[in-house]
Amino acid sequence: MGEVKKEIKIVSKKHDGSFHRSWEKNIVLDKNELTLIGGNDKTIVQEPNRPPWITTEPALFYFHRNLWFNVIVLLLDDDYLYYCNISSPFTKKGHVLTYIDYDIDVIVRSDYSYEIVDVDEYKYHKEKYHYPESVMENIDQAVEQIQLFIKSRKDPFNEDFVQKWKKQFELYQ
């Protein structure tokens, strides 16, 4: 795996292609045809109309080429939290991974209880950017799919996934 241990930049855009957010330094832990798993810690985050800021806790990330969501696992002191972004599947060119953020987020606690947030933001942007019906269907399916993944403890929603990649990430820091 030539990409493992390499640094990449992650860029989030809005539906119209405008810049939404970026994370500067992210380490690839595993990559295959479908998934890319990595981690970051104290990385610079850039957003429009806001000064750059630095993340405060280590995080793992899980991207899939066929799923309309990505998952960030925030590694807290004695716990962890999943932050799921409803998004387009990722693309990668060179050392830049890009996806489109579709606003809705699912926050999952380590006991697998969860909350769906930012639905109002989605409704606003759906009108502003005129999301096509196919995009809205993919978004609805992604929310359902995340819930099924959580219920069945499918990767990345399980303790084994978190511990395995947390240990791997610690080796590269």
Side-chain angles (χ1 to χ4, degrees), residues 155 158-165:
D155 284 352
N158 61 70
E159 179 79 17
D160 290 343
F161 177 93
V162 173
Q163 294 308 318
K164 174 184 177 178
W165 294 110

Side-chain angles (χ1 to χ4, degrees), residues 8-14 17-24 26 46 63 70 88 90-91 95-101:
I8 62 169
K9 179 177 182 173
I10 298 174
V11 176
S12 168
K13 295 184 176 189
K14 293 314 248 175
S18 62
F19 175 75
H20 176 242
R21 185 175 293 131
S22 68
W23 296 260
E24 294 300 314
N26 307 276
Q46 308 247 357
F63 287 90
N70 62 67
S88 68
F90 78 95
T91 59
H95 294 291
V96 180
L97 179 149
T98 305
Y99 67 91
I100 298 170
D101 182 285

Side-chain angles (χ1 to χ4, degrees), residues 101-166:
D101 182 285
Y102 284 106
D103 311 309
I104 298 173
D105 300 312
V106 182
I107 299 170
V108 185
R109 290 169 281 286
S110 58
D111 67 359
Y112 304 104
S113 61
Y114 61 89
E115 183 180 0
I116 300 170
V117 299
D118 297 335
V119 175
D120 289 343
E121 187 179 342
Y122 164 71
K123 288 177 182 174
Y124 171 77
H125 285 127
K126 172 174 79 168
E127 299 301 320
K128 178 180 178 179
Y129 297 123
H130 307 289
Y131 293 168
E133 191 65 36
S134 60
V135 167
M136 292 185 293
E137 287 172 9
N138 282 320
I139 291 167
D140 290 343
Q141 289 173 2
V143 172
E144 290 177 19
Q145 199 167 29
I146 287 173
Q147 293 174 79
L148 290 172
F149 275 45
I150 295 165
K151 185 177 182 179
S152 65
R153 307 293 189 263
K154 186 170 180 172
D155 284 352
F157 300 102
N158 61 70
E159 179 79 17
D160 290 343
F161 177 93
V162 173
Q163 294 308 318
K164 174 184 177 178
W165 294 110
K166 179 180 175 183

